[in-house]
Amino acid sequence: MVPTVLRRGKSVTFMGCDLIADGALATRAIFTFGGARASSLKAIAPRAPKVPKPDECPALFGARKPAFTVHIDQRRAGGCPLGGGADRGDLLIWVRHATSVAPSPAALVMLGDALPPASMPRFTGPAIISTMTWAFDLFTPEQCGGTGWHLIRSTDDGVGDGYAGQAMSVWAECGTPIMIGRQSVAIFG
């Protein structure tokens, strides 16, 4: 891992971090950290949609859940079922860590990356997928610990030629908006 300060201003710092695997670049991440500033503008992200509580929702995966989900508890709160050949990609899932974790933004980011691609409800059979890009913005720093249940909605908004674009929103269990994101996914199959 090679972290670098790219630019530092009065209230914003840009950091880069290259993850190297087997001598080659595996991931390049850019982080922007900004301190609070006075502003006359204020917009509030939408509150969470009305859905059943996590305990009232079925597990997203049955007994044959994918290996990457072993540390995550996921419950389907709405949207489209996986692999059903839906005409839209829409996932609405309750997510939490399966075991206790220390509160941290990293724990929240792990939850944000826990869902399968939003296009998975469109699939009619198995397909290989790979995340190409992922960008997200965090709100309400006091809510960014990643502990407890979080509601995530992920929808695809551009699918074709082996790629999908998707938008994501994350809310705390109480309905407070925490994170929004954008992802590009390669779909092989």
Side-chain angles (χ1 to χ4, degrees), residues 1-20:
M1 183 166 49
V2 183
T4 306
V5 175
L6 302 173
R7 182 179 183 275
R8 180 174 286 148
K10 287 188 272 184
S11 59
V12 178
T13 299
F14 296 89
M15 299 282 302
C17 187
D18 289 347
L19 300 176
I20 309 298

Side-chain angles (χ1 to χ4, degrees), residues 97-179:
H97 291 277
T99 58
S100 180
V101 297
S104 73
L108 175 64
V109 170
M110 286 187 284
L111 292 178
D113 196 33
L115 296 190
S119 297
M120 197 166 256
R122 296 177 185 272
F123 295 2
T124 56
I128 297 169
I129 56 95
S130 179
T131 296
M132 298 183 339
T133 64
W134 189 38
F136 58 87
D137 295 315
L138 299 175
F139 304 116
T140 56
E142 66 278 1
Q143 293 277 343
C144 292
T147 60
W149 285 106
H150 292 74
L151 183 63
I152 302 177
R153 169 160 259 153
S154 185
T155 57
D156 65 11
D157 52 15
V159 182
D161 298 324
Y163 302 96
Q166 59 189 43
M168 174 190 67
S169 297
V170 179
W171 298 273
E173 187 173 4
C174 64
T176 302
I178 297 178
M179 180 167 62

Side-chain angles (χ1 to χ4, degrees), residues 49 51-52 54 57-61 72-82 90-96 111 114-116 121 149-154 169-171:
V51 296
C57 297
L60 180 61
F61 297 104
I72 304 292
D73 189 1
Q74 299 171 312
R75 311 277 177 94
R76 186 168 167 260
C80 302
L82 301 177
D90 182 15
L91 299 175
L92 187 57
I93 310 293
W94 283 110
V95 179
R96 71 174 175 185
L111 292 178
L115 296 190
W149 285 106
H150 292 74
L151 183 63
I152 302 177
R153 169 160 259 153
S154 185
S169 297
V170 179
W171 298 273

